[in-house]
Amino acid sequence: QQPVQSPQAVILREGEDAVINCSSSKALYSVHWYRQKHGEAPVFLMILLKGGEQKGHDKISASFNEKKQQSSLYLTASQLSYSGTYFCGTEMTGPGTYKYIFGTGTRLKVLA
Amino acid sequence: DADVTQTPRNRITKTGKRIMLECSQTKGHDRMYWYRQDPGLGLRLIYYSFDVKDINKGEISDGYSVSRQAQAKFSLSLESAIPNQTALYFCATSARAGGIGELFFGEGSRLTVL
């Protein structure tokens, strides 16, 4: 049930771009993106609430394809500060149940 | 001061011991969560609570119990710790209005069970 993220890890040089994908086997109604730096707590980046919605946060943006049950995070002209592990998060609801669960994570390292 | 505070930050214990991890928040949020993080497995939901009288199991609740003592406090207990419960544990909160909102995390509690 846990959303699957790809790639699992990526190494970039400063200024390069990257795309992180989050795919779910179940319907997605909203997607959140978080970044966790080593030894720290995850920090919220953005939420996408509607299918097809796109949002931006500095040079980090995301899209949400409800039909494909996917979301993608785009990191443009990466900076050293972008290094960390990125997680997508989503609500999973069912009869009498609710869960807020996270994807498997993508480790991103930006080199000078 | 942090809005979501976890204690202890680090704990080493032995198999069979009872351990409690505590979480308190000053954000005034109704919803509180406990997650466990293991390398390569991301964050997995243990328990969540939408208010003081509403506590629910998450994905991996076996071996854990929780207590919501007040709106601001949510504790996680391991009644008899075992080595595969060695992990980094995070408490998180979110507001209720408008569906699920941003999760705010504590700094984490690293637990080692020998």
Side-chain angles (χ1 to χ4, degrees):
Chain A
Q1 277 193 336
Q2 188 177 23
V4 176
Q5 291 182 228
S6 62
Q8 287 185 321
V10 59
I11 299 176
L12 303 171
R13 293 283 180 185
E14 264 189 304
E16 291 182 338
D17 301 339
V19 180
I20 298 171
N21 299 302
C22 172
S23 296
S24 175
S25 59
K26 300 204 171 188
L28 294 174
Y29 301 102
S30 67
V31 178
H32 297 194
W33 284 97
Y34 290 79
R35 175 171 62 207
Q36 182 180 28
K37 292 187 177 288
H38 182 69
E40 298 180 7
V43 174
F44 175 81
L45 292 176
M46 66 188 77
I47 179 172
L48 298 102
L49 294 173
K50 300 177 185 177
E53 184 176 28
Q54 295 189 9
K55 280 200 171 180
H57 181 274
D58 193 9
K59 291 183 180 177
I60 300 174
S61 61
S63 63
F64 179 20
N65 188 321
E66 196 175 351
K67 285 185 179 178
K68 290 186 178 179
Q69 297 172 181
Q70 291 179 345
S71 177
S72 295
L73 187 72
Y74 306 95
L75 297 98
T76 305
S78 58
Q79 305 166 19
L80 294 175
S81 62
Y82 286 4
S83 292
T85 302
Y86 290 78
F87 293 100
C88 61
T90 187
E91 301 167 73
M92 293 280 182
T93 58
T97 66
Y98 165 90
K99 293 183 236 182
Y100 185 85
I101 63 174
F102 288 88
T104 49
T106 296
R107 294 188 311 279
L108 184 142
K109 186 170 181 63
V110 180
L111 303 176
Chain B
D1 290 340
D3 293 324
V4 184
T5 304
Q6 292 182 230
T7 56
R9 295 290 312 280
N10 288 283
R11 175 64 62 89
I12 299 174
T13 190
K14 294 183 178 180
T15 297
K17 293 292 187 181
R18 183 178 188 273
I19 290 293
M20 179 180 285
L21 305 179
E22 298 184 333
C23 176
S24 63
Q25 54 116 344
T26 58
K27 300 197 72 67
H29 288 166
D30 289 316
R31 298 180 173 186
M32 298 187 74
Y33 312 79
W34 275 105
Y35 289 91
R36 166 180 172 158
Q37 186 171 33
D38 299 277
L41 295 177
L43 293 147
R44 292 183 293 167
L45 181 63
I46 307 172
Y47 271 95
Y48 61 97
S49 170
F50 282 0
D51 65 40
V52 176
K53 295 181 181 179
D54 178 47
I55 293 178
N56 303 279
K57 293 182 178 180
E59 303 170 271
I60 53 164
S61 58
D62 288 348
Y64 301 95
S65 62
V66 290
S67 172
R68 185 84 183 262
Q69 301 95 325
Q71 187 207 34
K73 296 184 182 294
F74 193 36
S75 300
L76 177 72
S77 293
L78 289 70
E79 295 301 325
S80 180
I82 57 177
N84 77 359
Q85 291 178 312
T86 293
L88 182 58
Y89 291 85
F90 284 103
C91 173
T93 73
S94 69
R96 173 174 57 186
I100 189 71
E102 172 184 353
L103 264 63
F104 295 85
F105 287 85
E107 295 175 312
S109 295
R110 186 169 294 281
L111 177 66
T112 302
V113 184
L114 302 176

